[in-house]
Amino acid sequence: VFKQEEIIGKKIADTTYVNTYNLISYKYFLRGNYDSAYYFANEAELRSISGNNFKGTGIAYLRKGFIETEKGNFPNAIELFNKALVIFVENDNKKEQANALGSLAGVYTELGNFEKALDFYLQTVAMFESINDTKGLSNSYINIGILYAGQGNYDMALEYLLKAVPYKEKIGEKHGLAALYGNLGIMYANVAARDRDTNDVNQSIFYLEKSLVLKEELGDLVSIAASSATLGGVCFNLLR
């Protein structure tokens, strides 16, 4: 009995170490300290493998993949994200599958491969839909909208950005919602400049004003100035 309890206790301790290492890696990544981030991700990988902690190994691969992406080592990033994806598929972890797919989409976006990026993002949408993940769905729709915008396809960009609105509003996170409203305002302005449709101008102003209100509530002075300038530009150029 004592031996069994000892094994269980060791497994819990190992899982805690792995989770902590992965978390520390992420914190260093956010600070731009990629060497330390990689070190702790590698420690998480080694410890999780020795303890058969498959989720921990997959997340370590994701962490290392993010670092390789930021360094511009895209082939390495793709390999790591694919290794993570295989683990999450084998263990039926749909949330992390979606995160791995989204990470692959991000790399292919960086590489300028629109078709592959879109394919991975659409797979991400399907995965998040299957587990009813509101935050994941909203971010995936936004990513697809931005992807289309980068191709100059403002109509499709609007379609996907608008899909994200009810999800973002349900979450209620003001920073993300302000950014989404701002992007919608810019997309409508692009369509209005192309088609000279007053309705699109009105929609652009509507969303830019909504974005501005949220930024004022947040007290983000830099974003307030930028949004005010964008709104002024739309009114000056499209209402004449």
Side-chain angles (χ1 to χ4, degrees):
V1 174
F2 292 114
K3 182 67 174 177
Q4 185 178 5
E5 289 179 353
E6 183 180 324
I7 292 170
I8 293 170
K10 184 178 184 302
K11 188 174 182 62
I12 292 171
D14 284 345
T15 299
T16 302
Y17 273 118
V18 170
N19 292 343
T20 302
Y21 286 150
N22 274 324
L23 179 60
I24 293 172
S25 173
Y26 182 62
K27 296 294 185 182
Y28 273 120
F29 173 79
L30 292 178
R31 296 176 185 174
N33 188 336
Y34 300 138
D35 290 338
S36 294
Y38 202 91
Y39 170 81
F40 282 102
N42 201 56
E43 288 295 306
E45 177 191 347
L46 294 174
R47 184 151 231 170
S48 61
I49 289 172
S50 67
N52 293 318
N53 180 346
F54 301 112
K55 180 180 179 181
T57 305
I59 291 175
Y61 287 148
L62 289 180
R63 297 282 182 260
K64 292 168 81 170
F66 296 148
I67 297 163
E68 296 291 2
T69 301
E70 288 300 312
K71 289 183 173 181
N73 299 328
F74 300 126
N76 291 349
I78 290 170
E79 180 182 353
L80 286 161
F81 290 144
N82 275 317
K83 287 171 74 172
L85 181 60
V86 168
I87 289 173
F88 296 136
V89 169
E90 289 176 349
N91 291 273
D92 197 30
N93 188 329
K94 288 184 169 57
K95 183 178 179 65
E96 296 302 343
Q97 283 180 56
N99 288 332
L101 290 165
S103 299
L104 283 164
V107 174
Y108 282 110
T109 299
E110 292 287 336
L111 290 169
N113 191 329
F114 170 80
E115 288 77 15
K116 276 203 166 184
L118 179 60
D119 178 56
F120 280 118
Y121 276 137
L122 290 173
Q123 289 183 61
T124 301
V125 167
M127 196 65 63
F128 281 131
E129 282 180 339
S130 73
I131 58 175
N132 196 28
D133 188 315
T134 301
K135 184 177 180 180
L137 269 174
S138 67
N139 290 336
S140 296
Y141 285 139
I142 290 168
N143 286 332
I144 294 173
I146 292 170
L147 187 66
Y148 272 116
Q151 298 291 304
N153 190 336
Y154 303 128
D155 297 301
M156 289 300 293
L158 276 172
E159 179 179 327
Y160 278 94
L161 291 175
L162 286 168
K163 284 183 178 183
V165 170
Y167 296 102
K168 273 293 182 195
E169 289 179 340
K170 182 178 179 181
I171 295 167
E173 194 271 303
K174 289 185 179 181
H175 284 285
L177 196 53
L180 175 57
Y181 288 154
N183 283 327
L184 279 164
I186 291 169
M187 289 307 108
Y188 272 115
N190 287 327
V191 173
R194 182 193 67 197
D195 298 342
R196 293 296 167 182
D197 188 324
T198 304
N199 289 329
D200 291 324
V201 177
N202 291 336
Q203 284 293 90
S204 175
I205 293 171
F206 171 74
Y207 281 109
L208 288 172
E209 287 180 339
K210 284 172 74 73
S211 177
L212 183 57
V213 167
L214 286 177
K215 289 174 180 178
E216 287 173 343
E217 290 177 5
L218 292 165
D220 188 342
L221 298 180
V222 174
S223 293
I224 290 169
S227 292
S228 298
T230 302
L231 183 58
V234 168
C235 293
F236 181 78
N237 291 307
L238 297 178
L239 290 178
R240 289 187 297 170

